Structure formats: C-alpha cells, structure tokens
Amino acid sequence: MRRTRIGAGATLVAGALAVTGLAFAPAALAVAPGTATITADCGSFGGGEATLTATQNGTAATITVNSSAITAPIALGEDSISSTLTLVKASGGTTTFTGTENPAMAAGDPVQVGPLSGTVASGDSLEAFGGSLKMTVFGITITCTAAGPQSPGPFVFD
C-alpha cells in the first residue's frame, strides 16, 4: 500500500512539473506583417501581383508565395517545383528560403510554392525588392523579381 501512495505521489508531482513547464514554455514568435504583396516580373513567363505569407518559430521561418496573376504553363505534380526565394536584409546581405513544396497544379492554375524554409535572427528585416524567386521545373529555371518594395513593408522577425 505504501508503494502505491509513493508511486501516485510521484506521478502527481511529475504531472504538476510538466504543466508548469508548459506554462512557462516560450511561445512561437511572430513576424510582422504576416502577409505582404509584391508586383512580380517573371520575364516571358508573366507577372503580376503575388502574396508572400511568412511564419516564424524561433529562428526557423517559412514563406509561402501565391499568385493568381502568374499561372502554371503546364500541369505540375505535387512537390515538383524546386524553389529558392532570396530576400534582402535591411542590415545588408540576403537570406534564402528553399524547398520543393507545392500543390499539384493544372495548366493555367495560380502558382503556389512553399512553405519555403529559412533561418532568421531576432530583428531581421527582410524585403523582396532586390531579391528574387527562382523556380526550377523540369530543368527550366524561372526567375521572378519584385518590381518595387513589398506592401505594407518588409517582414520583421522577433
């Protein structure tokens, strides 16, 4: 009987410590703004408005790019586009986000790539203008650049 009480007491203490740990665990950090738009120029592949959506969890960050103005020239399978998004740091240099994530797309569907993964530091301010998005499909690389600064402003990471 005594062993049962000690075991139950130890379980209660362990549970209380676990709950306390959760209460004091760091929350996911935020990036502001969470969404920005650019006017993208993809050369002979088209161009138009594109939306960049950013998320952050510590130093890990992701960005997803969506554009209804830029469409898939042919049907593309899921995770078939190799993408590299390069953003310009306000403090100098660049940060890259890479990945092969994309939904399946029929010819003419809006292009979506991401989430593309990258590493950020607290206080990083990243802007698409001056950077690029390179998408490689079937060995063909499509490069898109921003025609001007993103709106409402650069991504600032906590």
Side-chain angles (χ1 to χ4, degrees):
M1 180 71 169
R2 184 171 187 169
R3 282 187 184 161
T4 303
R5 262 191 273 164
I6 291 172
T11 301
L12 287 173
V13 169
L17 288 173
V19 169
T20 302
L22 288 174
F24 292 107
L29 299 175
V31 57
T35 302
T37 58
I38 61 169
T39 299
D41 177 3
C42 302
S44 61
F45 292 96
E49 188 172 287
T51 302
L52 287 72
T53 304
T55 63
Q56 177 185 9
N57 188 0
T59 60
T62 63
I63 297 184
T64 301
V65 181
N66 291 292
S67 178
S68 57
I70 304 165
T71 58
I74 59 173
L76 300 169
E78 181 178 1
D79 301 336
S80 63
I81 303 172
S82 178
S83 303
T84 300
L85 174 65
T86 303
L87 299 178
V88 177
K89 287 184 180 183
S91 61
T94 59
T95 298
T96 59
F97 294 81
T98 60
T100 57
E101 300 283 329
N102 66 273
M105 293 175 256
D109 279 356
V111 168
Q112 176 182 331
V113 294
L116 307 176
S117 301
T119 302
V120 296
S122 180
D124 274 356
S125 177
L126 304 178
E127 165 70 57
F129 187 52
S132 66
L133 172 63
K134 293 185 180 185
M135 299 174 285
T136 303
V137 183
F138 302 122
I140 299 168
T141 300
I142 302 162
T143 301
C144 300
T145 57
Q150 65 190 47
S151 178
F155 293 118
V156 179
F157 295 86
D158 280 345

